[in-house]
Amino acid sequence: MSRVQRITSANGRLKNLMNQTDNRICADCGAPDPKWASANIGVFICLKCCGVHRSLGARISKVLSVQLDEWSDEDIDAMIEVGGNSSANAIYEAYIPEGYSKPGPDSTHDERSRFIRSKYELQEFLKSSLRIASRKSSASIQSSCSTKILDSFRIKSSKEPETVVEHMGLLKVKVVKGINLAIRDMMTSDPYVVLTLGKQTAVIKSNLNPVWNEELMLSVPQNFGPVKLQVYDYDTFSADDIMGEAEIDIQPLITSAMAYGDPEMFSNMQIGKWLKSQDNALIEDSIVNIIDGKVKQQVSIKLQNVECGQIYLQLEWLPLDQ
């Protein structure tokens, strides 16, 4: 099975789980159509709650995107074993005392943070029989709950400290189309696009007519580098052929967005630019604009290490607290 087939299969299993009624809304705030999940806790969450979960650290909440991350079989099995948001909330929200109210889709970041930290980090809403007695040593909870859920409570005794990657925001990438792509089969090709940022990999499925118009999101770590773009020709019976690659510098987009703060306070305007040079793959200067209260950038890339081919993309910056 090829890499793209494995990713497609994993996404299919997750999609089936998401189609359950209770998983069609965020486990923490009730926002519709969540596209993120905490794999070790076993819940589907929205973009806004995702930001708070990331701040808890990977030991408490391992956040993955349903659409962009490559899930391991273990992570998918854990989600399926939990059974969905209702099953998880029956444990994590067993008892909500006075003074706490569950946030809604329009709640502030502070309201979400207070509730989510109380729910998962401090475990204030669990039944008393499920709470860890001591945080100083390894402990397990005696109950009939899923062992996968309980793994999120256990304190690891490894001598090596766990590395937690802090993220500063999300990058929405729309892969629009490819033009004049290299031919790798007899008469045509079946190209798909792979985007990589750090340890994250996202795939746009193959398309004989390379007009994808598909969106995906990548989490941007504090120490981010360029987004690596690769185009492959999908082959059923042999290894997929490379059809070119390029690097996308996201520094101009993020720097411009940070400088202007809340884009909804500004009218449509140009706020930055990534200049074409001999050191990059740009076809023309790439402009960063505020459009309808959002920071966006059009990017035209000439594929490298190949005889021909161009890719057109649209980027959008989303801060975690938006």
Side-chain angles (χ1 to χ4, degrees), residues 36 67 79 86 101 120-121 127 174 197 203 217 223 245 263 284:
W36 296 82
Q67 295 180 326
M79 293 290 296
S86 292
S101 59
Y120 301 112
E121 184 178 40
K127 295 178 180 178
K174 182 176 183 180
L197 178 60
V203 176
M217 283 198 289
N223 298 318
E245 58 188 0
E284 58 186 6

Short mmCIF file of all heavy atoms in Angstrom, two decimals, residues 36 67 79 86 101 120-121 127 174 197 203 217 223 245 263 284:
data_model
loop_
_atom_site.label_atom_id
_atom_site.label_comp_id
_atom_site.label_asym_id
_atom_site.label_seq_id
_atom_site.Cartn_x
_atom_site.Cartn_y
_atom_site.Cartn_z
N TRP A 36 -10.66 18.88 14.45
CA TRP A 36 -9.48 18.53 15.24
C TRP A 36 -9.88 17.48 16.26
O TRP A 36 -11.06 17.26 16.52
CB TRP A 36 -8.90 19.77 15.93
CG TRP A 36 -8.41 20.79 14.97
CD1 TRP A 36 -9.14 21.73 14.30
CD2 TRP A 36 -7.06 20.95 14.51
NE1 TRP A 36 -8.33 22.47 13.48
CE2 TRP A 36 -7.06 22.02 13.58
CE3 TRP A 36 -5.86 20.32 14.81
CZ2 TRP A 36 -5.89 22.45 12.95
CZ3 TRP A 36 -4.70 20.75 14.18
CH2 TRP A 36 -4.74 21.81 13.26
N GLN A 67 -7.85 16.35 9.09
CA GLN A 67 -7.62 16.52 7.66
C GLN A 67 -6.16 16.56 7.26
O GLN A 67 -5.81 16.15 6.16
CB GLN A 67 -8.30 17.82 7.18
CG GLN A 67 -9.82 17.78 7.31
CD GLN A 67 -10.45 19.05 6.83
OE1 GLN A 67 -9.88 20.14 6.98
NE2 GLN A 67 -11.62 18.95 6.23
N MET A 79 -9.10 6.38 19.47
CA MET A 79 -10.32 7.17 19.26
C MET A 79 -11.54 6.26 19.15
O MET A 79 -12.59 6.53 19.75
CB MET A 79 -10.19 8.01 18.00
CG MET A 79 -9.14 9.12 18.04
SD MET A 79 -9.58 10.50 19.14
CE MET A 79 -11.04 11.15 18.33
N SER A 86 -19.53 11.72 23.45
CA SER A 86 -20.47 11.43 24.54
C SER A 86 -19.85 10.50 25.57
O SER A 86 -19.99 10.71 26.79
CB SER A 86 -21.76 10.81 23.99
OG SER A 86 -22.48 11.74 23.22
N SER A 101 -19.51 26.82 34.06
CA SER A 101 -20.49 26.60 33.01
C SER A 101 -19.75 26.24 31.74
O SER A 101 -18.67 26.78 31.46
CB SER A 101 -21.35 27.85 32.77
OG SER A 101 -20.54 28.96 32.40
N TYR A 120 -9.63 18.81 31.91
CA TYR A 120 -8.63 17.81 31.56
C TYR A 120 -7.36 17.87 32.41
O TYR A 120 -6.82 16.83 32.78
CB TYR A 120 -8.24 17.95 30.08
CG TYR A 120 -9.38 17.79 29.13
CD1 TYR A 120 -9.85 18.87 28.38
CD2 TYR A 120 -10.01 16.56 28.96
CE1 TYR A 120 -10.91 18.73 27.49
CE2 TYR A 120 -11.07 16.40 28.08
CZ TYR A 120 -11.51 17.49 27.34
OH TYR A 120 -12.56 17.35 26.47
N GLU A 121 -6.87 19.07 32.70
CA GLU A 121 -5.62 19.20 33.44
C GLU A 121 -5.83 19.01 34.94
O GLU A 121 -5.11 18.25 35.59
CB GLU A 121 -4.99 20.56 33.15
CG GLU A 121 -3.62 20.75 33.79
CD GLU A 121 -3.01 22.09 33.43
OE1 GLU A 121 -3.76 23.09 33.39
OE2 GLU A 121 -1.80 22.14 33.18
N LYS A 127 -15.56 12.00 38.58
CA LYS A 127 -15.98 11.40 39.84
C LYS A 127 -14.75 11.22 40.71
O LYS A 127 -13.66 10.96 40.23
CB LYS A 127 -16.66 10.04 39.58
CG LYS A 127 -17.97 10.14 38.81
CD LYS A 127 -18.55 8.76 38.56
CE LYS A 127 -19.85 8.85 37.78
NZ LYS A 127 -20.42 7.52 37.49
N LYS A 174 -4.69 26.50 0.49
CA LYS A 174 -5.58 26.05 -0.57
C LYS A 174 -4.72 25.77 -1.80
O LYS A 174 -4.12 26.69 -2.37
CB LYS A 174 -6.64 27.10 -0.89
CG LYS A 174 -7.63 26.64 -1.97
CD LYS A 174 -8.72 27.68 -2.19
CE LYS A 174 -9.74 27.20 -3.20
NZ LYS A 174 -10.82 28.22 -3.43
N LEU A 197 5.38 20.48 6.92
CA LEU A 197 5.87 21.55 7.80
C LEU A 197 6.29 20.89 9.11
O LEU A 197 5.45 20.39 9.86
CB LEU A 197 4.78 22.60 8.05
CG LEU A 197 5.17 23.75 9.01
CD1 LEU A 197 6.37 24.52 8.46
CD2 LEU A 197 3.99 24.69 9.23
N VAL A 203 -1.77 15.71 2.52
CA VAL A 203 -1.81 15.22 1.14
C VAL A 203 -3.08 15.70 0.45
O VAL A 203 -4.18 15.59 1.00
CB VAL A 203 -1.76 13.68 1.10
CG1 VAL A 203 -1.90 13.17 -0.33
CG2 VAL A 203 -0.46 13.17 1.71
N MET A 217 -4.98 22.41 6.61
CA MET A 217 -4.36 23.28 7.60
C MET A 217 -3.14 22.62 8.22
O MET A 217 -3.13 21.41 8.45
CB MET A 217 -5.36 23.71 8.67
CG MET A 217 -6.32 24.78 8.19
SD MET A 217 -7.16 25.66 9.52
CE MET A 217 -8.25 24.38 10.09
N ASN A 223 9.32 27.69 16.24
CA ASN A 223 10.52 27.70 15.41
C ASN A 223 10.20 27.06 14.06
O ASN A 223 10.62 25.95 13.76
CB ASN A 223 11.66 26.94 16.11
CG ASN A 223 12.05 27.59 17.42
OD1 ASN A 223 12.14 28.80 17.52
ND2 ASN A 223 12.29 26.77 18.44
N GLU A 245 9.37 19.78 -6.90
CA GLU A 245 9.24 20.21 -5.51
C GLU A 245 9.58 21.69 -5.40
O GLU A 245 10.12 22.29 -6.34
CB GLU A 245 10.17 19.39 -4.62
CG GLU A 245 11.63 19.47 -5.02
CD GLU A 245 12.50 18.50 -4.25
OE1 GLU A 245 11.98 17.78 -3.40
OE2 GLU A 245 13.72 18.47 -4.50
N PRO A 263 -6.83 41.57 12.08
CA PRO A 263 -7.08 42.07 10.72
C PRO A 263 -8.50 42.59 10.53
O PRO A 263 -8.75 43.35 9.58
CB PRO A 263 -6.81 40.84 9.84
CG PRO A 263 -7.05 39.67 10.74
CD PRO A 263 -6.62 40.11 12.10
N GLU A 284 6.36 35.11 -9.58
CA GLU A 284 6.22 36.56 -9.46
C GLU A 284 6.14 36.90 -7.98
O GLU A 284 5.96 36.03 -7.14
CB GLU A 284 4.97 37.04 -10.18
CG GLU A 284 3.68 36.40 -9.67
CD GLU A 284 2.47 36.77 -10.50
OE1 GLU A 284 2.64 37.43 -11.53
OE2 GLU A 284 1.35 36.40 -10.09
#
